[in-house]
C-alpha cells in the first residue's frame, strides 16, 4: 500500500511539472509590447513676429514629403516573405574481403584429417545504403501598419505594430517588429518586409479553430522528455 502511494505521488509530481512545462502563452490583443508609441505634444509658444509662418513649429515644411521620420509616425509594411529549402543526401557503401589458404603440407604431402583437406577459406562482405530527402516552403503576404517607437542616432527607425482579425471561429493576428532605414521608406510611406532589419514577424491564431490543431496535454506528455514510461 505504501509503495502504491509513493508511485501515485511520483506520478502526480510528474504530471504537475509536465503541465507547467507545456503551458503555452496565448497572445492577446492590446499587448503593451506591441503598443504604438504616441508622440509627445510639443506646445510651441507664439512668437510675435507678425508672420503666419512659425519657424519653431515641428510640422513638415512646404518642400518635404510625408515619410515617417519621428516617433509616432506610421509606416505601411508590405509582407513579402517567401522561404524555400530542400536537402538531398544519399550514401552507398560496399565492402568485400576474402582470404584462402591451401592445404598444409608435410614432406611434400598434403595433410588430411579424416579424409578432409586442411585448406582454409575466409570471406566477408558488408553493404550499407541510405537516403534522405527534406523540403520546406513557407510564404506570407499582406499589409500591416506599424508605428515608429524610437529614432536611433544614425537615423534608423525602430518600428513595431500588430493587426488582429476577428473571425467566426477565433482571431488571427500579425505582429511585426524591427529596424528600418529612413531611406528605404518610399515616398508613399510604405516599405517591404524584406527591408526590415532584425525583423520579428509573427502570424498565428487563437480560439477554437487554432486549438483544434494542437495536441492535448496528455499526448504532448507521452512525446516529451518527461515521459519515464517508454
Amino acid at each position: 500500500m505504501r509503495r502504491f502511494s509513493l508511485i501515485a505521488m511520483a506520478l502526480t509530481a510528474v504530471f504537475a511539472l509536465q503541465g507547467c512545462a507545456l503551458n503555452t502563452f496565448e497572445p492577446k490583443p492590446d499587448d503593451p509590447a506591441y503598443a504604438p508609441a504616441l508622440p509627445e505634444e510639443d506646445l510651441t509658444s507664439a512668437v510675435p513676429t507678425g508672420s503666419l509662418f512659425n519657424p519653431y513649429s515641428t510640422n513638415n515644411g512646404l518642400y518635404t514629403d510625408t515619410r515617417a521620420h519621428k516617433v509616432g509616425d506610421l509606416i505601411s509594411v508590405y509582407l513579402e516573405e517567401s522561404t524555400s529549402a530542400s536537402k538531398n543526401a544519399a550514401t552507398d557503401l560496399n565492402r568485400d574481403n576474402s582470404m584462402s589458404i591451401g592445404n598444409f603440407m608435410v614432406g611434400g604431402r598434403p595433410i588430411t584429417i579424416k579424409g578432409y583437406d586442411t585448406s582454409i577459406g575466409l570471406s566477408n562482405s558488408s553493404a550499407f545504403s541510405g537516403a534522405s530527402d527534406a523540403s520546406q516552403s513557407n510564404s506570407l503576404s499582406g499589409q500591416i501598419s506599424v508605428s515608429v517607437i524610437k529614432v536611433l542616432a544614425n537615423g534608423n527607425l525602430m518600428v513595431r505594430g500588430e493587426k488582429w482579425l476577428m473571425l467566426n471561429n477565433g482571431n488571427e493576428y500579425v505582429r511585426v517588429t524591427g529596424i528600418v532605414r529612413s531611406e528605404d521608406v518610399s515616398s508613399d510611406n510604405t516599405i517591404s518586409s524584406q527591408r526590415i532589419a532584425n525583423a520579428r514577424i509573427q502570424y498565428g491564431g487563437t480560439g477554437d479553430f487554432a486549438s483544434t490543431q494542437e495536441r492535448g496535454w496528455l499526448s504532448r506528455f507521452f512525446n516529451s522528455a518527461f515521459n519515464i514510461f517508454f
Side-chain angles (χ1 to χ4, degrees):
M1 185 67 181
R2 183 179 179 182
R3 183 179 180 183
F4 177 78
S5 300
L6 293 176
I7 295 176
M9 293 175 61
L11 290 176
T12 302
V14 170
F15 280 107
L17 292 174
Q18 182 66 14
C20 296
L22 296 176
N23 184 20
T24 57
F25 172 74
E26 182 176 355
K28 295 181 180 180
D30 300 326
D31 190 340
Y34 294 89
L38 301 179
E40 297 181 359
E41 295 185 3
D42 187 10
L43 301 178
T44 305
S45 302
V47 180
T49 60
S51 174
L52 297 177
F53 174 74
N54 187 355
Y56 302 98
S57 176
T58 57
N59 295 330
N60 294 330
L62 296 176
Y63 302 101
T64 58
D65 54 26
T66 58
R67 287 187 294 183
H69 63 279
K70 60 181 182 296
V71 175
D73 289 350
L74 300 180
I75 302 176
S76 296
V77 178
Y78 287 102
L79 301 176
E80 300 173 339
E81 298 298 321
S82 178
T83 59
S84 179
S86 62
K87 183 177 181 180
N88 296 301
T91 303
D92 191 2
L93 300 175
N94 293 283
R95 183 177 182 180
D96 296 322
N97 295 319
S98 62
M99 182 182 67
S100 62
I101 300 176
N103 293 334
F104 291 97
M105 307 289 289
V106 175
R109 300 181 60 183
I111 299 175
T112 60
I113 300 176
K114 294 184 178 182
Y116 296 97
D117 57 23
T118 56
S119 61
I120 299 175
L122 299 176
S123 63
N124 179 34
S125 63
S126 61
F128 172 80
S129 178
S132 63
D133 186 6
S135 62
Q136 182 178 4
S137 61
N138 299 278
S139 63
L140 177 64
S141 61
Q143 186 175 359
I144 180 177
S145 294
V146 297
S147 64
V148 179
I149 61 173
K150 186 177 181 180
V151 180
L152 303 180
N154 58 357
N156 291 342
L157 310 175
M158 295 184 63
V159 297
R160 72 184 181 194
E162 66 176 357
K163 176 192 288 188
W164 283 80
L165 302 175
M166 181 176 293
L167 306 176
N168 294 333
N169 296 321
N171 299 327
E172 290 188 359
Y173 66 90
V174 180
R175 288 174 170 175
V176 176
T177 61
I179 303 174
V180 302
R181 294 196 317 161
S182 57
E183 294 85 355
D184 291 335
V185 181
S186 61
S187 58
D188 59 350
N189 210 41
T190 60
I191 191 173
S192 171
S193 61
Q194 298 183 3
R195 293 285 186 175
I196 301 178
N198 198 33
R200 299 292 184 270
I201 303 175
Q202 300 180 17
Y203 173 75
T206 62
D208 296 338
F209 185 77
S211 299
T212 55
Q213 303 182 48
E214 297 181 357
R215 293 181 299 170
W217 66 270
L218 187 60
S219 176
R220 295 199 299 269
F221 166 74
F222 284 109
N223 289 277
S224 67
F226 291 92
N227 183 10
I228 61 176
F229 302 101
F230 301 101

